[in-house]
Amino acid sequence: MAAGEKRTMMSDEQAAALSPESVVAQMKQNGVSHVVWLPDSETNWLFLKMQEEQSLSLVGVAREGHACSIAAGLFAGGAKPIVLVQNTGMMESGDSMRGWLLNLNVPVVFLVGYRGYTRHGVNHDSAAEYTERFLLAFGIKFYMVESNADADRISLAFTESELTQRPVVVLIADEFHGFN
């Protein structure tokens, strides 16, 4: 590389990652007004990008089950919320998903950190082992996003959710790189 020439090539790891910018762009593209979420260490960079975006209102919750009732209320009031939690919290909120979202036909997209998932071997974390089983048991459709190349699946989830008037989950399988 010549002196003064800017390096524009990304590392393989960066190219394979899901950037917070891509996630926020998908939120804007789909008209999201509120992010109902339980902050965690995996979403630090995403949090900073969401804070910068003036069209998003961030609504923190103390438990994931509360996210479902708050999202239902926001939807009833004409807003377009998205829920951002980890798979362990999604499973914890099962009864709230049933009562507030499935029974009331609330179309909301969940971005769910897929803790414990690995595409290169055996999952050793029971959180990953039960995530897809949980979604199948509730009849909730889901999409997997592992990199920026998959980010448009978030829009597919919004389309699916609006057509079916049901929650749809996007499993973020790159939580250790994309959001941090």
Side-chain angles (χ1 to χ4, degrees), residues 26-28 30-35 55-56 80-82 158:
Q26 286 291 316
M27 290 178 185
K28 287 177 58 177
N30 288 286
V32 171
S33 59
H34 294 77
V35 180
S55 66
L56 296 175
K80 189 167 186 179
I82 191 169
F158 276 101

Side-chain angles (χ1 to χ4, degrees), residues 26-180:
Q26 286 291 316
M27 290 178 185
K28 287 177 58 177
Q29 182 179 327
N30 288 286
V32 171
S33 59
H34 294 77
V35 180
V36 184
W37 73 313
L38 186 64
D40 67 22
S41 60
E42 298 298 326
T43 55
N44 181 46
W45 292 111
L46 180 59
F47 169 71
L48 295 174
K49 291 296 176 194
M50 291 186 309
Q51 258 190 329
E52 292 173 4
E53 178 51 49
Q54 295 184 1
S55 66
L56 296 175
S57 294
L58 305 182
V59 182
V61 295
R63 293 186 61 193
E64 290 85 350
H66 296 157
C68 299
S69 57
I70 291 169
L74 288 166
F75 171 73
K80 189 167 186 179
I82 191 169
V83 175
L84 175 62
V85 295
Q86 192 179 55
N87 54 350
T88 54
M90 176 189 69
M91 290 186 274
E92 188 271 338
S93 68
D95 189 50
S96 290
M97 290 179 83
R98 177 201 57 79
W100 287 103
L101 304 176
L102 292 168
N103 284 357
L104 298 176
N105 300 318
V106 175
V108 65
V109 170
F110 279 66
L111 294 182
V112 176
Y114 203 166
R115 186 185 111 185
Y117 170 81
T118 178
R119 69 186 327 234
H120 303 291
V122 176
N123 294 327
H124 295 288
D125 186 329
S126 64
E129 192 66 29
Y130 290 107
T131 296
E132 293 181 32
R133 295 178 195 182
F134 173 90
L135 293 169
L136 292 170
F138 276 78
I140 296 174
K141 291 199 171 192
F142 59 94
Y143 296 87
M144 177 93 73
V145 172
E146 296 181 272
S147 70
N148 284 335
D150 303 329
D152 62 344
R153 293 178 184 162
I154 296 171
S155 287
L156 292 175
F158 276 101
T159 299
E160 179 85 30
S161 180
E162 289 164 10
L163 284 173
T164 61
Q165 296 295 293
R166 295 174 54 93
V168 174
V169 167
V170 177
L171 296 171
I172 305 296
D174 185 44
E175 65 176 335
F176 296 109
H177 300 101
F179 292 154
N180 287 304

